């Protein structure tokens, strides 16, 4: 049966490949920019990535200022500080440089510069009234796909939860993905962000069908739409690449082939999830990430196999395919025994091989916290909607948390 019409969205343009960062000056010129405000952190300044970004902009005749105050899992106050610094500089272009945290900080600065208010005013789906301040994003991790996505995630410190702003206006005008910028990425960040990319692809590939999505509550305008063939194709390619290259990138950060393939995989994962949707893994990670100290990627990686088991009831064929793709073309016949459980075990093994925690209690989560987490996750209705098996109560989610505890 034909699907109802779907649409596909990305960054305005994507420049991909080793040394792509050298083209940022040309990109700024095409956008007619003269004053460029780079939003990044002290680590990327120290390792020289900020300078690699600044130099081509200067060469193109731009005046450049660098803000280095970004922090992981961005607290709202950091976004406020970056906004104030940007206002003082009066740029005509923002550059979000770093992992998802810095790119998302830049996205939220772009929202507030264009539409005023506070970052917390813009939480939710499709609430941004028009284009945001001109923005270029440059990832230095291979994971989030924020450079092409419609999402910006930050920590609402007062409410102790990670929150998201979603809007097609949040897709950057230009995404510059230079795999060489990820070479200095520490092992743990490589592992955590890499398994985030896998989570994006698996959640997009197993998401509710587009047609069914349209029938589900809460309705209304949304960025996510359920799965469609284009997003599924990209998710498939992402899963295969992660299966072949994530472990290599973690084991040897200077493995340029692995870095390049993971950078591509992450962008594919971003394209897939930001059209089809992420789902229960992400919904369950947000309360965990807000309450204890864990990176978004590690939290997702921990929860992923448990949610796969929950979703397998309605996505058994897809889970088997995921197992085959992760096992890879040559290994598949020898090592992959097939079946849903086999697929989940491959994800568990990968998680273990790259050092992702396997139980919530390892992160300092107590059993008493779980019911509150389940209520918060169940409250994220837009992610309940995209999950193939739609939880009917917080109790169902609590069971998954208990298994993961
Ligand atoms: N907007 C989206 O679409 C989207 C999607 C998924 C996740 N996220 C969000 O992204 C954030 C996680 O992003 P992340 O996994 O990319 O990590 P991150 O941005 O939090 O970075 C983690 C650490 O790695 C360091 N780092 C990054 N690149 C480096 C490099 N090349 N060399 C040395 N150090 C480097 C950073 O300085 C930082 O300290 C979370 O807040 C998550 O919720 C956003
Ligand atoms: Fe994610």
């Amino acid at each position: 049966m034909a699907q109802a019409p779907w649409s596909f969205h990305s960054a305005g343009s994507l420049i991909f490949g080793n040394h792509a960062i050298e083209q940022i000056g040309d990109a700024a010129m095409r956008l007619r920019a003269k004053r460029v405000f780079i939003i990044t952190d002290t680590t990327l300044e120290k390792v020289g990535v900020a300078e690699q970004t600044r130099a081509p902009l200067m060469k193109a005749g731009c005046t450049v200022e660098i803000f280095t105050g970004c922090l992981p899992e961005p607290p709202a106050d950091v976004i406020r500080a970056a906004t104030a610094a940007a206002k003082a500089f009066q740029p005509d272009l923002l550059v979000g440089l770093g992992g998802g945290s810095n790119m998302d900080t830049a996205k939220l600065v772009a929202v507030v510069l264009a539409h005023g208010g506070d970052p917390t005013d813009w939480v939710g789906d499709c609430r941004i009234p028009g284009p945001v301040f001109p923005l270029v994003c440059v990832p230095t991790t291979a994971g989030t796909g924020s450079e092409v996505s419609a999402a910006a995630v930050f920590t609402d410190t007062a409410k102790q939860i990670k929150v998201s702003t979603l809007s097609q206006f949040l897709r950057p005008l230009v995404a510059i993905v230079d795999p060489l910028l990820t070479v200095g990425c520490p092992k743990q960040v490589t592992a955590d962000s890499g398994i985030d990319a896998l989570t994006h692809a698996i959640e997009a590939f197993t998401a509710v069908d587009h047609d069914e999505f349209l029938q589900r509550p809460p309705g209304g305008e949304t960025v996510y739409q359920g799965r469609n063939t284009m997003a599924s194709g990209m998710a498939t390619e992402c899963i295969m690449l992660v299966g072949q290259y994530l472990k290599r990138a973690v084991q040897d950060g200077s493995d340029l082939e692995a870095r390049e393939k993971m950078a591509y995989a992450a962008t594919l994962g971003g394209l897939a999830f930001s059209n089809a949707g992420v789902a229960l893994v992400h919904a369950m990670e947000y309360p965990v990430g807000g309450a204890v100290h864990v990176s978004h990627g590690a939290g997702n990686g921990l929860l992923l196999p448990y949610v796969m088991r929950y979703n397998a009831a309605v996505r058994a064929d897809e889970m088997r395919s995921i197992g085959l793709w992760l096992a890879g073309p040559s290994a598949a016949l020898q090592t992959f025994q097939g079946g849903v459980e086999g697929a989940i075990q491959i994800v568990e093994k990968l998680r273990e091989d790259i050092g992702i925690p396997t139980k919530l209690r390892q992160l300092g989560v107590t059993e008493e916290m779980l019911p509150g987490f389940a209520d918060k996750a169940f409250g994220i209705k837009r992610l309940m909607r995209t999950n193939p098996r739609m939880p009917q109560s917080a109790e169902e989610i609590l069971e998954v948390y208990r298994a993961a505890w």
Side-chain angles (χ1 to χ4, degrees):
M1 205 178 60
Q3 268 194 329
W6 46 265
S7 56
F8 193 87
H9 309 259
S10 176
S13 54
L14 168 66
I15 307 172
F16 183 93
N18 290 342
H19 305 289
I21 192 62
E22 289 166 16
Q23 296 186 24
I24 195 169
D26 297 341
M29 275 177 13
R30 282 196 295 276
L31 296 170
R32 309 287 182 262
K34 297 258 181 300
R35 294 176 67 79
V36 182
F37 190 71
I38 300 177
I39 296 177
T40 190
D41 61 49
T42 48
T43 306
L44 291 163
E45 187 186 38
K46 265 187 221 121
V47 299
V49 169
E51 184 53 32
Q52 274 178 276
T53 308
R54 194 178 71 108
L57 287 165
M58 302 282 288
K59 212 170 145 195
C62 297
T63 304
V64 182
E65 183 155 304
I66 305 182
F67 172 86
T68 57
C70 287
L71 290 175
E73 319 296 318
D77 271 347
V78 167
I79 299 161
R80 294 180 187 120
T83 307
K87 274 187 186 156
F89 176 67
Q90 299 210 317
D92 47 25
L93 178 67
L94 301 176
V95 174
L97 171 68
S101 297
N102 302 1
M103 292 190 283
D104 288 1
T105 300
K107 284 179 170 187
L108 287 151
V109 172
V111 174
V112 176
L113 286 187
H115 301 294
D118 185 74
T120 50
D121 296 335
W122 298 109
V123 172
D125 204 345
C126 293
R127 297 186 52 244
I128 295 174
V132 301
F133 203 82
L135 173 69
V136 172
C137 275
V138 182
T140 63
T141 60
T144 69
S146 179
E147 68 278 7
V148 289
S149 87
V153 190
F154 66 101
T155 308
D156 185 334
T157 1
K159 293 190 181 146
Q160 282 210 337
I161 190 167
K162 294 282 293 291
V163 289
S164 306
T165 303
L166 287 117
S167 165
Q168 301 295 6
F169 295 118
L170 281 179
R171 299 194 196 259
L173 295 176
V174 183
I176 301 181
V177 184
D178 183 341
L180 294 178
L181 298 185
T182 68
V183 169
C185 215
K187 256 187 204 324
Q188 197 191 335
V189 178
T190 304
D192 292 4
S193 54
I195 205 145
D196 191 24
L198 177 65
T199 309
H200 295 157
I202 290 181
E203 295 224 275
F205 184 72
T206 58
V208 63
D209 285 324
H210 177 56
D211 286 7
E212 191 184 338
F213 175 82
L214 296 175
Q215 309 303 319
R216 285 184 172 185
E221 197 191 347
T222 80
V223 163
Y224 298 158
Q225 322 166 50
R227 63 179 175 177
N228 66 55
T229 49
M230 187 175 256
S232 293
M234 291 179 170
T236 302
E237 176 86 8
C238 172
I239 294 166
M240 287 181 186
L241 291 170
V242 171
Q244 272 183 276
Y245 294 103
L246 176 54
K247 235 171 89 178
R248 270 175 58 176
V250 172
Q251 279 166 353
D252 175 8
S254 62
D255 181 336
L256 296 188
E257 188 189 4
R259 289 296 197 185
E260 186 181 341
K261 300 293 188 189
M262 279 307 302
Y264 184 53
T267 299
L268 285 174
L271 289 169
F273 94 75
S274 69
N275 285 279
V278 285
L280 188 56
V281 181
H282 276 72
M284 290 180 64
E285 192 279 326
Y286 289 140
V288 176
V292 297
H293 187 72
V294 63
S295 77
H296 169 77
N300 276 340
L302 187 158
L303 293 164
L304 177 61
Y306 301 101
V307 174
M308 286 174 77
R309 209 161 264 132
Y310 173 80
N311 282 335
V314 297
R315 285 288 183 265
D317 288 348
E318 289 80 355
M319 296 299 174
R320 279 185 213 104
S321 302
I322 289 167
L324 265 171
W325 297 329
L326 283 173
S330 56
L333 290 177
Q334 297 140 33
T335 60
F336 185 59
Q337 302 302 314
V340 170
E341 199 48 39
I344 295 171
Q345 281 166 11
I346 291 189
V347 174
E348 286 172 341
K349 172 86 170 49
L350 175 65
R351 188 180 61 170
E352 206 183 299
D353 288 347
I354 62 172
I356 304 285
T358 58
K359 288 286 176 190
L360 288 170
R361 66 181 81 187
Q362 294 166 250
L363 309 176
V365 172
T366 64
E367 204 171 0
E368 291 69 44
M369 290 176 174
L370 301 182
F373 287 178
D375 284 340
K376 279 184 177 169
F378 187 62
I380 311 177
K381 296 297 175 206
R382 62 186 176 80
L383 299 185
M384 299 301 104
R385 186 181 181 189
T386 42
N387 201 59
R389 179 175 170 193
M390 199 170 170
Q392 298 303 311
S393 65
E395 192 59 37
E396 274 184 45
I397 299 178
L398 183 57
E399 284 310 306
V400 185
Y401 274 125
R402 286 217 172 96
W405 188 73

